[in-house]
Amino acid sequence: MDCDAKHNLRLGPKLAVLTLLWLPSSTMADWVGETRPMMGTEVSVYLWSDDPEAGRVTIDEVFQEAARIDVLMSTYKDDSEMSKINRGAAESPVTISQELFQLIQRALDISLLTQGAFDITYDSVGQHYDFRAGRRPDATTVASEVRNIDHHYVELDDASTTIRFRQEGVRINLGGIAKGYIVERGIDIVRARGIENAIVTAGGDSRLLGDRRGRPWMVGIRDPRNDDEVVLSVPLADEAISTSGDYERYFDEDGVRYHHIIHPGTGEPASGVRSATVFGPDAVMTDALSTSVFVMGVDKGLRLIATLGDYESIVIDAKGRVFFSDGLQQPENQTIE
Ligand code: ADP
Ligand code: MG
C-alpha cells in the first residue's frame, strides 16, 4: 500500500451522496446552484460567484450546452447526427461535425486502451434493451447482434470528416462518454466566465473546478444496494469523478439483474461488479474508464488503472467488497468518524 497517497478516504455512511457546503456570505458573493432533470437523470451546476446574478446566467448557459450535446448524441431523435450515422454508415461514408468526429475518435482510442472493454458498438445489442419497460433481447438476438460489436468496424476518415461501418448491422452509441463530455464542457464555460470554484454533475459524472473555497469537495460513493447510504467519501479538488453502477438503469428478472453496462464479448450485462468509480483529470476519461473498469472486473480493471498515473479507482464487487487502486490509502488506515 502506498502511504504517500494524495487521497485520504474517509468512511462516512451518513454523508449525502454529494456533500456540498453552502457558505453564508456577508458580501454579495455567494454560492449559486441549480439541478434540472435531463437525459433520464439529473444535471446540476453549483458555483461560487462574485455576482450571483451573473452566476445564474452562467448556470443557464451550462444547461443550454448540456441540452445541445444531448441532442447531438441522441440515438432517439431521428434527425440527430447519431441517428444519421446509424442509419447510413454501413452503406456509405457519412459526413459528420468535427465535434462528433473527435468524440468518436476519443471513444475508439479508449477502446484500444481498455482492450475493447469500452466499445461504442455495444449498442448493436444495447439497442434491444428497454430498461423502463423491462424488455431485453432474447438469446437468439444477442447471439446474432454480438457479432456486430467490435470497434474495429468503425472507420473514421480525417480528410473528409466521415464515418463508415465496415459491417452491416453495426450501431454506435456514445452514452458511455456523453455525460463526461457534458460536465467537461460545462466546466469550460464556467471557467471562461472567470469562476474559480464550481461543480458540474450529470448523473454519475462530476467535474470539479477548484475547491470548496479552502476545503476539498467531498464526493460520496453510493452504497450500490442502498440509495440512502454512502460507502465512503472522497475529498477532491480540480478533478473529475465518475461512477458506473448496476443500479442506474436496470430491471430484475428471475433473480438476475439486467443493467445498462454491456460486456462487449458476450453482449450480456457485465457481471462481477456493482459499482466502479474512477477519478482523475478529465471527465470524458473518468466516464469511459468507470464503464471500462466495471466491464473488466476488479483485477483487470485495477491493473489498467495502475498503468494510468493520473487516475485512481474504487470498485465494489458483487459481494459488496471494496477494492482500491494502488495510489489510494485504504480507509482501514484512517480514523473512522
Ligand atoms: P451512466 O450513463 O449511468 O453514467 P456509465 O457511465 O457507466 O453510466 O455508462 C453506461 C452507458 O454506457 C450505458 O447506458 C450505455 O449507453 C453505454 N455503454 C454500455 N456498455 C458499454 C460498453 N461496453 N462500452 C461503451 N459504452 C457502453
Ligand atoms: Mg461511464
Side-chain angles (χ1 to χ4, degrees):
M1 187 85 248
D2 180 2
C3 290
D4 293 321
K6 55 182 174 160
H7 299 99
N8 298 311
L9 306 175
R10 284 196 295 158
L11 286 177
K14 295 290 179 213
L15 282 171
V17 168
L18 193 63
T19 315
L20 299 169
L21 190 67
W22 292 78
L23 296 173
S25 171
S26 54
T27 65
M28 282 289 287
D30 209 347
W31 290 103
V32 282
E34 195 181 332
T35 299
R36 293 186 194 169
M38 285 180 86
M39 302 169 295
T41 180
E42 282 186 341
V43 175
S44 64
V45 187
Y46 290 93
L47 52 85
W48 175 266
S49 179
D50 292 336
D51 175 353
E53 205 35 60
R56 273 186 273 274
V57 172
T58 303
I59 288 173
D60 211 57
E61 279 179 71
V62 174
F63 281 117
Q64 281 175 32
E65 176 67 353
R68 183 189 70 79
I69 296 169
D70 182 30
V71 171
L72 177 74
M73 300 204 185
S74 171
T75 52
Y76 294 106
K77 300 177 177 95
D78 275 352
D79 56 350
S80 74
E81 274 198 83
M82 283 299 289
S83 298
K84 249 176 38 187
I85 294 171
N86 281 329
R87 260 197 314 271
E91 213 165 291
S92 56
V94 175
T95 306
I96 55 174
S97 62
Q98 268 296 336
E99 185 179 22
L100 201 54
F101 188 90
Q102 277 165 15
L103 264 172
I104 294 172
Q105 183 66 67
R106 288 192 76 180
L108 296 179
D109 291 346
I110 294 166
S111 292
L112 294 177
L113 179 74
T114 61
Q115 295 168 339
F118 188 85
D119 193 323
I120 54 175
T121 67
Y122 87 90
D123 202 42
S124 307
V125 172
Q127 63 173 322
H128 298 289
Y129 276 92
D130 183 337
F131 292 98
R132 255 177 236 172
R135 204 163 45 236
R136 64 185 176 89
D138 58 29
T140 317
T141 308
V142 174
S144 80
E145 293 284 28
V146 74
R147 280 177 288 191
N148 296 323
I149 300 182
D150 189 338
H151 55 99
H152 295 102
Y153 290 145
V154 181
E155 192 180 292
L156 292 172
D157 181 57
D158 246 325
S160 57
T161 330
T162 55
I163 180 169
R164 189 178 77 89
F165 295 157
R166 293 201 175 96
Q167 173 153 304
E168 188 72 40
V170 170
R171 249 184 83 110
I172 60 168
N173 187 318
L174 291 172
I177 51 171
K179 295 190 193 103
Y181 184 58
I182 282 173
V183 300
E184 201 62 51
R185 288 285 308 134
I187 286 293
D188 285 346
I189 290 173
V190 167
R191 195 191 289 111
R193 299 290 172 268
I195 288 159
E196 292 172 357
N197 313 86
I199 177 165
V200 180
T201 298
D205 302 289
S206 296
R207 176 69 170 85
L208 322 174
L209 178 65
D211 62 5
R212 217 170 48 179
R213 291 178 54 77
R215 308 135 154 263
W217 301 96
M218 297 298 289
V219 181
I221 298 175
R222 220 173 100 176
D223 179 340
R225 292 295 176 269
N226 188 345
D227 283 6
D228 304 327
E229 298 282 320
V230 161
V231 178
L232 52 85
S233 56
V234 192
L236 292 173
D238 253 329
E239 259 178 306
I241 180 163
S242 297
T243 298
S244 293
D246 66 359
Y247 50 83
E248 288 287 350
R249 241 171 294 160
Y250 72 94
F251 57 89
D252 290 319
E253 194 184 298
D254 299 330
V256 179
R257 174 155 299 199
Y258 295 93
H259 62 80
H260 67 148
I261 300 168
I262 305 293
H263 194 299
T266 62
E268 304 281 354
S271 55
V273 169
R274 286 181 187 167
S275 91
T277 297
V278 174
F279 45 98
D282 180 86
V284 172
M285 279 296 282
T286 58
D287 192 2
L289 287 172
S290 67
T291 309
S292 307
V293 170
F294 192 105
V295 168
M296 295 169 96
V298 175
D299 291 345
K300 270 183 86 180
L302 291 182
R303 268 208 302 276
L304 168 69
I305 294 297
T307 67
L308 308 172
D310 291 340
Y311 291 87
E312 299 296 346
S313 180
I314 299 167
V315 188
I316 303 177
D317 77 357
K319 291 186 176 145
R321 294 177 299 189
V322 186
F323 298 85
F324 302 85
S325 57
D326 289 348
L328 296 175
Q329 231 168 293
Q330 305 268 10
E332 282 85 348
N333 301 337
Q334 302 293 302
T335 313
I336 297 169
E337 287 182 338

